Amino acid sequence: MREVTATGQTIEQAVQNALQQLSSTKEEVEIEVLEDGKKGFLGFGSKPAKVLVVKKKTLVEKAFDYISNIVTCLDETAQIDYDFQDKKEPSLLFTIKGDKVALIIGKRGNTLNALQFLVQTYVNRHSKQLIHVVVDAENYRLKRKESLEILAKKAAQTVLKTRKAVSLEPMPSFERKIIHHILTDMPNISTKSVGQDPYRQLVIDIKKPIKD
């Protein structure tokens, strides 16, 4: 139940009755006075106060509306689910299914990454704490991670063989971090990011010996 119309002898009493039904506080709702109420005279002509109290949408619900408005412009059949985990590092995951999911993902995930950036920006603009946002479609993120693992290892082998640095295609920071992490355990390989977003790319090179 998101809204309720309640009555009381006074507006404040009507509001309290509504809050009790919604199990909410004043800070969590919007209040509209429908009727001020009348005390009457000698018990005649009295009229209760009436209010409409509506629960405010949470940030997660607002974010869901935000992404839905964008996605449905690309695919009217799209279905969006979300999962919010309020832990030490809060995270919000949106998963998308639809007939035109390939359009939503885009070439090498470019459209999906742009959508994730927009939602991430929207959420953290309205939040007092950093919330990590992930937007996925048809399990693309897992498939992309597997592709990045293959790419990283292949590029590292090329570097070890040729002794020359390899520059990968530009990619978002969270994808660069995946490759950084994959190659961390390779003792002879170093990784660094160069350039400016959205053209920032990862360079894989031979680890230089540390000079005394």
Side-chain angles (χ1 to χ4, degrees):
M1 185 165 55
R2 296 202 60 85
E3 65 178 61
V4 66
T5 300
T7 59
Q9 291 183 345
T10 63
I11 292 175
E12 181 60 29
Q13 189 180 71
V15 169
Q16 291 303 319
N17 290 338
L19 292 177
Q20 186 175 11
Q21 293 181 57
L22 292 173
S23 299
S24 302
T25 64
K26 275 189 175 181
E27 290 73 23
E28 297 172 332
V29 301
E30 295 177 349
I31 302 169
E32 178 183 352
V33 177
L34 301 178
E35 296 180 10
D36 290 333
K38 295 180 181 179
K39 290 185 177 180
F41 180 71
L42 298 177
F44 297 97
S46 62
K47 193 174 183 180
K50 182 185 292 186
V51 296
L52 172 64
V53 178
V54 182
K55 271 189 177 182
K56 294 178 182 177
K57 288 187 176 181
T58 65
L59 177 58
V60 174
E61 291 171 327
K62 291 179 180 178
F64 177 81
D65 290 344
Y66 179 78
I67 189 175
S68 295
N69 289 335
I70 299 174
V71 171
T72 52
C73 289
L74 300 173
D75 183 1
E76 293 181 354
T77 69
Q79 296 180 344
I80 307 172
D81 294 317
Y82 67 84
D83 179 33
F84 178 66
Q85 296 185 343
D86 191 6
K87 298 182 178 179
K88 185 176 181 180
E89 295 183 357
S91 62
L92 178 57
L93 169 64
F94 291 99
T95 53
I96 305 170
K97 294 181 180 180
D99 294 340
K100 300 178 182 177
V101 69
L103 178 64
I104 295 172
I105 294 173
K107 185 178 180 181
R108 292 176 181 169
N110 286 341
T111 305
L112 193 65
N113 291 340
L115 181 60
Q116 179 170 294
F117 175 79
L118 288 173
V119 180
Q120 177 82 67
T121 302
Y122 176 87
V123 168
N124 287 301
R125 186 176 293 167
H126 296 83
S127 174
K128 294 180 180 179
Q129 63 179 140
L130 180 65
I131 298 177
H132 181 59
V133 175
V134 175
V135 179
D136 198 2
E138 297 292 356
N139 214 24
Y140 172 81
R141 296 298 180 197
L142 177 59
K143 296 173 185 176
R144 177 62 172 167
K145 182 179 179 181
E146 292 172 348
S147 297
L148 290 174
E149 290 177 351
I150 295 172
L151 174 65
K153 292 175 181 178
K154 186 178 292 186
Q157 291 302 321
T158 298
V159 170
L160 292 173
K161 184 177 180 180
T162 64
R163 315 300 289 183
K164 294 181 179 180
V166 171
S167 298
L168 302 181
E169 64 188 32
M171 59 184 68
S173 61
F174 63 88
E175 290 190 347
R176 296 197 305 272
K177 287 179 182 178
I178 291 174
I179 296 179
H180 275 301
H181 180 72
I182 293 169
L183 299 181
T184 297
D185 295 332
M186 296 189 71
N188 298 322
I189 290 293
S190 69
T191 59
K192 65 178 180 179
S193 294
V194 298
Q196 299 294 323
D197 289 326
Y199 306 107
R200 194 165 174 79
Q201 58 191 138
L202 197 69
V203 176
I204 302 173
D205 200 357
I206 292 291
K207 183 175 290 185
K208 304 296 189 295
I210 300 176
K211 296 181 181 181
D212 295 332

